[in-house]
Amino acid sequence: MTAGGSHLGTSETQPAASAKASGPATGRAYLATIEGFVGALMMFIGSIGTGWIANGSPMIRQPVVIALRTEGWGVTVSTVLLTVGAMVLMRSWLRLGQRLADWGKSSLRSVVLAISAWSLPLLFCVPVFSRDVYAYTGQGRLVMEGQNPYQVGISTLSNWFSLGADPAWAEARTPYGPYFLWLARGVVGLTGAQPDVSVLLFRLLAGVGVLLCVIYVPRLAELHGINGARALWISVANPLFLISFIASAHNDALMVGLAVAGVYFAATRRYLLGVLLVTASIGIKPITVLLLPFVGLMWAGPSASWPRKFLMWGATAGISFGVLALSGIPYNLGMGWVWAIMDPTPGYTGYSPSGFLGQQVEFLGNVLGLPGGTFATLLRTGMKWAAIALVLVLMFRGDYSRAVRRMALAFTAVVMLSPIIQPWYILWFLPFLAVTGIRDDWQIRSLYVGVTFFVVFGAQDQLSVWSFVALPIDASSLAFVTALAFTFYLLFLDLHTRRLLIEARPLDLVKRGWRWAVAVVEARRGAARRQA
């Protein structure tokens, strides 16, 4: 119980300090922290040769950078360093959880130290795993020049290609909220759209989101009877979180941090502050509008009648949307962000449940001489509507004490049943699952598998390598083979992690490893087809 008080009960999902799957070798957490720092440092060095550098950056004229990006040996070494560094960071995260298996009083300090140490080298990386951060600069320039990013893409800017953004952003409207566009305009105003300094400032903004998670994830977990250090280790210390939100500088970090803080204040009866913080999160990226109904439930109270619940839902929505409507007045942005909710991006990713099942249905339908594409579209549409139905069920049914858990499950359903899942999307709901309990059984192992999959996928999916560089093996293939070999080591050879990840017979491990590798290959093929 915090000083603010709470009516939320203890979650029954996860004991506060279970250590069943934590494995051997407890203690000496600093060893895992040092190992992770080395891995992050390797990623920093590797990013110089394979990360995304804007065409307008003076970095590309530096002799060391030229050698690492134009010589075959430089690109090869950089690729291996980036990939091995990411996998070392993965192992360090797993080992930190093992070494803190008792989750005692000092464990929170150990997790915070690890997050700090692992984040430091990533703070100075060339952007890796994604180059969306360069599009942020372009959208800031649009606002700076009096254009509306909800109506035009960055191709309307002079010399836009030098910003470093993916050409996919050329004609794309921004899916971000007005507050992020304000921030992007501020960054451009300070930097003059200089790409490297802009990336650093956007990273610092993302770092604010990470810091909010570090502060409020443990507090929100304690409200639910969950060990705060373990929740922080699960949600923030994991390598996918740090790579996506620090190295890639995704604005999702600020969105998630504000959302976690808002839910914490709502759970401790500071409802108006909670609504405003969640509204700020929506103003960064609108997907967190999903949280408002559950904040309204908390505001209604544990014994609220249905009329009071509807009243609080209306009040929550009225305050939030009213503030957002007023926020659209500066720079004439209006309510343009609503399109991001009402008109989602078309297509699918091959590794999402919806995308993968749709592919199988389409293949089977075509084999049988039926319109497989139509069936696949119907399936994906049905899964999206199923997610909406689950949100409604969780809004109207369930114990008040599990309001945050219900919110977490609703958020998870919307993400996991969507046709498109980017690797960092699972980080949207992970903190809320962590603070309400992830058991030390199939639940935590599913997280291990998911994080490993997306780290491996990201390591080989987003490499910046010039086509004229002569390589003995394609950089993406080299990264994939390297990551796969390291995963094999974690599953079979490492005495500690092989017992942590999957408890099964060797033959079962081989079968599961093979299925996992096939899934990654299919995802790569799907990405290649989309790029083509």
Side-chain angles (χ1 to χ4, degrees):
M1 185 75 70
T2 66
S6 167
H7 352 142
L8 294 179
T10 300
S11 171
E12 298 176 359
T13 308
Q14 165 65 37
S18 173
K20 176 182 176 183
S22 297
T26 59
R28 296 187 296 177
Y30 69 89
L31 294 176
T33 301
I34 293 172
E35 179 187 19
F37 177 79
V38 172
L41 197 60
M42 293 171 69
M43 290 192 67
F44 163 71
I45 299 171
S47 73
I48 298 172
T50 57
W52 295 99
I53 299 180
N55 293 333
S57 169
M59 285 182 62
I60 59 175
R61 295 190 293 272
Q62 299 301 314
V64 173
V65 176
I66 292 173
L68 289 175
R69 300 183 76 85
T70 62
E71 300 289 342
W73 66 266
V75 173
T76 300
V77 170
S78 297
T79 300
V80 172
L81 282 174
L82 180 69
T83 308
V84 173
M87 298 307 294
V88 168
L89 198 57
M90 180 73 201
R91 183 183 187 276
S92 304
W93 174 59
L94 297 173
R95 294 292 290 127
L96 182 65
Q98 288 180 312
R99 293 184 179 281
L100 297 177
D102 58 350
W103 300 108
K105 292 182 179 179
S106 64
S107 58
L108 181 58
R109 178 176 178 272
S110 297
V111 175
V112 172
L113 285 174
I115 292 170
S116 303
W118 300 347
S119 298
L120 185 60
L122 299 180
L123 188 64
F124 300 100
C125 274
V126 174
V128 292
F129 284 40
S130 171
R131 52 173 161 164
D132 284 357
V133 65
Y134 291 119
Y136 304 163
T137 303
Q139 289 157 6
R141 272 190 60 189
L142 285 174
V143 180
M144 194 83 172
E145 296 180 11
Q147 301 189 66
N148 191 334
Y150 296 125
Q151 297 175 355
V152 298
I154 61 175
S155 63
T156 62
L157 298 168
S158 61
N159 203 27
W160 69 272
F161 196 71
S162 68
L163 296 175
D166 190 314
W169 286 101
E171 305 296 332
R173 296 177 292 169
T174 181
Y176 308 131
Y179 300 148
F180 183 73
L181 294 179
W182 293 6
L183 293 171
R185 183 188 186 279
V187 167
V188 170
L190 289 172
T191 66
Q194 202 285 334
D196 303 323
V197 182
S198 297
V199 166
L200 181 59
L201 291 186
F202 281 119
R203 271 217 184 100
L204 293 178
L205 289 175
V208 171
V210 174
L211 180 61
L212 287 171
C213 289
V214 169
I215 294 171
Y216 290 107
V217 161
R219 297 183 185 184
L220 190 55
E222 295 294 343
L223 291 180
H224 293 84
I226 302 300
N227 185 280
R230 184 177 184 274
L232 189 64
W233 168 73
I234 286 174
S235 58
V236 179
N238 87 68
L240 184 62
F241 190 100
L242 296 178
I243 294 171
S244 298
F245 288 172
I246 301 294
S248 299
H250 281 295
N251 59 4
D252 306 61
L254 191 54
M255 175 196 79
V256 173
L258 289 167
V260 170
V263 171
Y264 169 76
F265 283 111
T268 52
R269 305 185 186 183
R270 287 165 280 188
Y271 304 114
L272 183 58
L273 180 56
V275 171
L276 291 177
L277 284 169
V278 172
T279 300
S281 174
I282 298 168
I284 301 297
K285 205 165 185 179
I287 187 64
T288 46
V289 72
L290 285 167
L291 309 186
L292 287 179
F294 300 94
V295 172
L297 283 176
M298 286 185 268
W299 198 348
S303 303
S305 62
W306 281 110
R308 177 170 172 77
K309 289 180 181 178
F310 278 98
L311 178 64
M312 289 299 99
W313 279 333
T316 301
I319 293 170
S320 182
F321 294 151
V323 169
L324 288 168
L326 292 174
S327 302
I329 296 175
Y331 314 121
N332 298 313
L333 296 174
M335 296 287 284
W337 56 270
V338 174
W339 84 267
I341 300 174
M342 306 303 295
D343 183 25
T345 305
Y348 63 90
T349 48
Y351 51 75
S352 68
S354 174
F356 178 77
L357 291 174
Q359 286 178 320
Q360 311 314 307
V361 167
E362 182 174 4
F363 173 76
L364 182 60
N366 291 339
V367 168
L368 297 176
L370 300 172
T374 301
F375 290 157
T377 300
L378 289 173
L379 174 65
R380 295 186 186 110
T381 302
M383 292 180 75
K384 286 195 291 187
W385 282 106
I388 295 173
L390 285 170
V391 172
L392 293 173
V393 169
L394 290 163
M395 279 176 56
F396 285 93
R397 296 183 63 85
D399 295 337
Y400 173 85
S401 63
R402 294 174 61 84
V404 178
R405 184 66 172 189
R406 289 156 60 191
M407 180 189 71
L409 294 175
F411 210 171
T412 303
V414 168
V415 173
M416 296 305 294
L417 295 179
S418 172
I420 296 178
I421 301 178
Q422 299 291 0
W424 56 93
Y425 286 10
I426 68 171
L427 304 173
W428 295 350
F429 58 80
L430 182 58
F432 298 109
L433 289 179
V435 300
T436 54
I438 293 179
R439 293 195 306 267
D440 256 332
D441 51 18
W442 65 268
Q443 293 185 358
I444 193 67
R445 292 191 183 93
S446 296
L447 176 64
Y448 295 155
V449 171
V451 170
T452 304
F453 175 87
F454 283 122
V455 169
V456 172
F457 181 79
Q460 54 79 40
D461 181 56
Q462 290 279 333
L463 296 175
S464 176
V465 179
W466 284 318
S467 58
F468 63 79
V469 180
L471 296 172
I473 178 174
D474 174 69
S476 180
S477 299
L478 175 61
F480 176 64
V481 171
T482 302
L484 200 62
F486 204 108
T487 303
F488 181 87
Y489 166 75
L490 293 176
L491 284 172
F492 297 101
L493 304 179
D494 191 300
L495 295 177
H496 303 299
T497 59
R498 72 182 185 186
R499 283 175 284 187
L500 175 65
L501 292 171
I502 304 175
E503 292 181 355
R505 293 173 298 179
L507 183 58
D508 292 335
L509 289 175
V510 172
K511 291 178 179 178
R512 295 181 188 183
W514 173 255
R515 287 197 295 267
W516 179 88
V518 168
V520 175
V521 170
E522 288 298 324
R524 289 186 66 205
R525 289 175 177 171
R529 286 195 296 269
R530 290 193 303 277
Q531 291 175 356

